[in-house]
């Protein structure tokens, strides 16, 4: 990007499915900012998510379900030079737009994300945050809840998110790592603790690690997804 840094437009893409309890706050954290657009990509919400976003003046497009499919649809509709993929239960820090523009100006940088803070007071979640920090900084493997960003040109060069039922962010990061540096902005985004609280921090963390191991061993994403969803919603 060789244009003036403030003139680089950022498209914020938010995939949703029944996120009425989160979408308003997620959108609120995108302000104040300069030269951005917000695109909500909804996969058939029944709880008023779409209506809430529209009342806030946000562009909403419809997509078939699947986070990768939704994010790719949002990228296709985006007019920005930079794409920022934001989960509906994640909050951006103040000044995120200038942080992103500055980060992508660094030589050799192909993408980036933020450090992670989880919005609950459990000490065990501080260990999860520490683990995310180590993985992101030393292995350059941030995940989707860290608000991944990259230029639209690089996203297109990578072929977008692989349309897998699970692990789409993991696979895109693996591909990007081979191309250049993935920068991690020290200021954190804040994400909901709901998925850790649902089954417990230890079980959720263990489940996530088993998913990664299975994927690296060549188990099909479809099979992993069926197993993951069964375990995720199984009663404790």
């Amino acid at each position: 990007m060789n244009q003036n840094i403030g003139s680089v437009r950022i498209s914020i893409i938010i995939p949703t499915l029944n996120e009425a309890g989160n979408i308003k706050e997620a959108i609120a954290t995108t302000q104040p900012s300069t030269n951005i657009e917000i695109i909500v990509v909804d996969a058939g919400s029944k709880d008023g998510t779409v209506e809430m976003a529209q009342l806030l003046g946000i562009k909403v497009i419809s997509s078939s379900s699947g986070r990768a499919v939704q994010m790719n649809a949002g990228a296709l509709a985006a007019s920005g030079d930079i794409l920022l993929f934001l989960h509906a239960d994640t909050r951006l820090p103040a000044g995120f737009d200038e942080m992103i523009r500055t980060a992508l100006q660094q030589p050799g940088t192909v993408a980036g994300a933020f450090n992670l803070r989880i919005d609950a007071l459990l000490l065990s979640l501080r260990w999860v945050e520490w683990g995310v920090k180590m993985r992101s900084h030393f292995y350059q493997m941030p995940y989707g809840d860290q608000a991944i960003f990259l230029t639209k040109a690089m996203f297109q060069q990578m072929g977008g998110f692989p349309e897998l039922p699970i692990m789409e962010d993991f696979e895109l990061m693996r591909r990007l790592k081979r191309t250049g540096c993935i920068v991690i902005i020290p200021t954190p985004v804040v994400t909901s603790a709901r998925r850790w609280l649902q089954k417990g921090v230890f079980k959720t963390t263990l489940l996530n690690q088993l998913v990664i191991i299975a994927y690296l061993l060549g188990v099909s994403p479809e099979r992993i997804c069926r197993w993951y969803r069964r375990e995720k919603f199984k009663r404790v």
Side-chain angles (χ1 to χ4, degrees), residues 22-69:
N22 290 305
I23 191 65
K24 186 176 181 180
E25 193 176 346
I27 290 168
T29 64
T30 68
Q31 305 297 326
S33 52
T34 58
N35 202 8
I36 68 162
E37 71 171 345
I38 304 168
I39 302 171
V40 167
V41 189
D42 191 74
S45 293
K46 306 295 185 187
D47 66 346
T49 299
V50 170
E51 292 78 8
M52 192 172 296
Q54 289 172 335
L55 280 172
L56 294 169
I58 302 302
K59 179 179 181 178
V60 180
I61 64 175
S62 296
S63 163
S64 51
S65 61
R67 187 172 275 159
V69 175

Side-chain angles (χ1 to χ4, degrees), residues 34-209:
T34 58
N35 202 8
I36 68 162
E37 71 171 345
I38 304 168
I39 302 171
V40 167
V41 189
D42 191 74
S45 293
K46 306 295 185 187
D47 66 346
T49 299
V50 170
E51 292 78 8
M52 192 172 296
Q54 289 172 335
L55 280 172
L56 294 169
I58 302 302
K59 179 179 181 178
V60 180
I61 64 175
S62 296
S63 163
S64 51
S65 61
R67 187 172 275 159
V69 175
Q70 290 170 255
M71 292 189 292
N72 285 342
L76 195 62
S79 64
D81 301 295
I82 296 172
L83 305 177
L84 167 60
F85 297 96
L86 179 67
H87 289 186
D89 63 353
T90 298
R91 315 286 174 253
L92 293 166
F96 73 91
D97 50 336
E98 291 309 308
M99 293 179 202
I100 288 171
R101 293 186 182 104
T102 300
L104 289 176
Q105 293 284 328
Q106 297 176 23
T109 297
V110 296
F114 293 79
N115 270 337
L116 185 72
R117 191 163 80 244
I118 304 166
D119 67 350
L121 297 175
L122 292 174
L123 180 61
S124 54
L125 289 174
R126 305 293 78 83
W127 284 103
V128 172
E129 292 168 351
W130 181 83
V132 169
K133 188 174 184 178
M134 294 302 102
R135 184 196 71 223
S136 302
H137 284 270
F138 292 107
Y139 295 102
Q140 295 193 34
M141 286 295 293
Y143 295 167
D145 53 9
Q146 292 172 252
I148 292 166
F149 56 86
L150 71 169
T151 66
K152 189 171 186 179
M154 179 56 67
F155 185 76
Q156 291 171 337
Q157 184 181 322
M158 292 292 104
F161 281 99
E163 295 192 351
L164 306 173
I166 198 169
M167 304 294 286
E168 74 287 336
D169 50 355
F170 183 89
E171 184 56 38
L172 179 61
M173 291 299 104
R174 287 177 78 195
R175 296 176 187 180
L176 284 163
K177 271 178 62 174
R178 303 182 193 118
T179 307
C181 176
I182 299 171
V183 68
I184 306 298
I185 294 174
T187 306
V189 292
V190 179
T191 197
S192 168
R194 60 182 176 177
R195 61 193 174 99
W196 286 279
L197 298 179
Q198 184 180 39
K199 287 190 73 68
V201 176
F202 176 76
K203 287 184 178 180
T204 301
T205 303
L206 178 62
L207 179 60
N208 290 341
Q209 294 309 307

